[in-house]
Amino acid sequence: MLSIIFKYMIPSSPSAQHKRFSTLNSAFRTIRSALLTVFLLLALIISGLFSPLACLAEPLILDKAPSVELAGHLERYDDLSGKKTFADILNPKISSGFKHLKGSLNDGYSHKAVWLRFTMTRTPRFSENAWIRLGPPWIDFVTAYIQTGTDPSLAASYRRVRLGAHIPVAERPILDPDFLAPLSLPEGQPVTVYIRAQSHYPLALTVMVHTEAEKLRYTDLNILTQSGFLSIELVFAMLYLILFFRIGNRIFLYFSLYVTALFINYISISGVLSLIIPNSAFLVSNYLCDIGMGGSILMFCILLQQLFAPVITTPVRWYLRFMAVMAVLNTLADSFGYYIELASFTFLGV
């Protein structure tokens, strides 16, 4: 056993030692070549990650499903200044900053603008003429940039579609409670879409892609649902107002006014106003939303004070009065440009 160990530890001759060094040198050269190859591959991958085309996510395949929701297939970039143009967003330094969004956009009150990006390609089983549906319809400014050219890194390759609650209905592609943008999808070719959203209301945005037939079905169902809910609110408001006149209990009056405020708020944020008064919906929707939201909080605080008057404690009574004042200030804040700051505090208190 010792003879075997000494045979490998102590060379028996200079030629054996030279042979061992040659073997080690060859092994080191092999390892060095492998490391150099790995380093070059990593360099290529990293450089590719920061190119404008490689930053785009894998295309979403549109197949036989007539409607596809893009939650989990979106990338986002937060423009904290809210002033970046589309050409700025396509700059490789900014384009590489898009991050994967696990679900749909669901942010709170903020002055920032959020850019969303996704890429899709269709199979022969999906319609060439499709629609992008964006909601909810209370977002002030929504702009879609849809690729029509061959180079997705050039601004000239995109068609702009202006949407949003502050955009006149006549300037939108189609009359609908939600925001819709038409698509023309070549078979097997990726189409990239950028969406910019900015609002002084909570910044939440869902994105869906419909075929023409599915778009019509979804719109009809949406209008039916919204109309039914608004009708129920209106009936409750009238019913409790009648009870107040018959019985004389002010609790019924306060509840009727509370439901009326909810009705005003909901009709302004549901997109139904664009169907009722399309020429002026973009002018009055924000004011109605503020009146409805502030009024509902105010009447809710008054209703609670009346309903629980026998058992309410002094700290709770003063807190409800404080929130009633905040509701009035929240209604007026939009006119003075401080809605985002005050609304965040008010709804935290609610």
Side-chain angles (χ1 to χ4, degrees):
M1 186 68 177
L2 291 176
S3 63
I4 296 175
I5 295 175
F6 279 108
K7 179 179 180 180
Y8 285 94
M9 293 186 61
I10 301 177
S12 57
S13 64
S15 59
Q17 186 177 8
H18 177 73
K19 183 177 180 181
R20 188 173 295 109
F21 278 123
S22 298
T23 304
L24 291 175
N25 192 22
S26 177
F28 281 130
R29 283 199 301 269
T30 303
I31 295 174
R32 184 177 60 185
S33 299
L35 291 175
L36 182 60
T37 303
V38 172
F39 175 78
L40 291 175
L41 288 174
L42 288 175
L44 289 173
I45 293 173
I46 293 174
S47 63
L49 287 175
F50 290 96
S51 65
L53 294 181
C55 288
L56 301 179
E58 288 294 325
L60 172 67
I61 305 299
L62 303 177
D63 197 19
K64 60 182 179 179
S67 179
V68 179
E69 186 173 356
L70 274 75
H73 300 281
L74 300 170
E75 295 176 295
R76 69 176 290 174
Y77 174 81
D78 292 351
D79 176 15
L80 300 181
S81 67
K83 298 180 180 179
K84 285 185 171 58
T85 64
F86 183 51
D88 296 331
I89 294 299
L90 290 180
N91 187 297
K93 293 182 180 179
I94 297 179
S95 182
S96 61
F98 276 80
K99 297 180 180 179
H100 179 256
L101 183 62
K102 292 183 179 180
S104 298
L105 179 64
N106 189 19
D107 287 2
Y109 293 93
S110 175
H111 291 281
K112 68 183 177 182
V114 176
W115 289 82
L116 300 178
R117 179 177 67 186
F118 62 94
T119 304
M120 53 190 169
T121 182
R122 74 173 184 93
T123 67
R125 293 189 289 185
F126 196 87
S127 174
E128 178 182 0
N129 298 318
W131 293 84
I132 299 177
R133 181 181 296 272
L134 305 169
W138 67 63
I139 306 298
D140 292 337
F141 299 100
V142 179
T143 306
Y145 297 88
I146 303 171
Q147 180 186 351
T148 56
T150 57
D151 190 350
S153 64
L154 298 178
S157 298
Y158 292 82
R159 173 173 55 89
R160 187 183 71 166
V161 180
R162 297 178 67 224
L163 304 165
H166 280 188
I167 304 300
V169 176
E171 297 182 15
R172 302 180 193 174
I174 190 173
L175 182 62
D176 194 277
D178 290 334
F179 306 134
L180 290 172
L183 285 173
S184 180
L185 301 173
E187 181 183 340
Q189 297 182 16
V191 174
T192 301
V193 177
Y194 287 83
I195 299 171
R196 182 187 185 275
Q198 188 174 24
S199 181
H200 70 298
Y201 294 123
L203 197 55
L205 192 67
T206 58
V207 185
M208 302 178 69
V209 178
H210 295 312
T211 61
E212 178 71 28
E214 183 66 13
K215 184 263 295 183
L216 294 174
R217 189 196 69 82
Y218 192 97
T219 296
D220 292 343
L221 180 61
N222 186 28
I223 294 175
L224 182 63
T225 303
Q226 306 289 9
S227 302
F229 186 78
L230 289 169
S231 300
I232 292 172
E233 283 189 324
L234 193 59
V235 167
F236 266 92
M238 295 177 62
L239 175 63
Y240 278 89
L241 186 62
I242 294 173
L243 288 175
F244 164 70
F245 287 124
R246 294 295 301 271
I247 300 175
N249 192 330
R250 286 184 299 177
I251 290 180
F252 294 111
L253 173 63
Y254 297 146
F255 189 78
S256 175
L257 294 176
Y258 168 65
V259 177
T260 301
L262 289 179
F263 173 84
I264 295 173
N265 176 69
Y266 193 79
I267 199 173
S268 64
I269 66 174
S270 62
V272 177
L273 277 181
S274 61
L275 304 178
I276 301 174
I277 48 174
N279 295 328
S280 55
F282 72 102
L283 297 175
V284 301
S285 60
N286 274 7
Y287 296 104
L288 290 179
C289 180
D290 297 340
I291 292 172
M293 185 62 67
S296 62
I297 297 173
L298 173 64
M299 297 313 304
F300 186 70
C301 293
I302 296 176
L303 177 64
L304 288 180
Q305 292 182 71
Q306 293 293 321
L307 191 62
F308 297 102
V311 296
I312 197 170
T313 61
T314 300
V316 174
R317 181 182 296 107
W318 279 106
Y319 183 75
L320 291 175
R321 291 176 180 176
F322 170 73
M323 291 308 304
V325 174
M326 291 301 300
V328 176
L329 294 177
N330 192 79
T331 304
L332 303 174
D334 200 5
S335 302
F336 298 98
Y338 294 101
Y339 183 85
I340 292 179
E341 291 77 12
L342 196 59
S344 303
F345 181 78
T346 302
F347 285 104
L348 181 63
V350 171

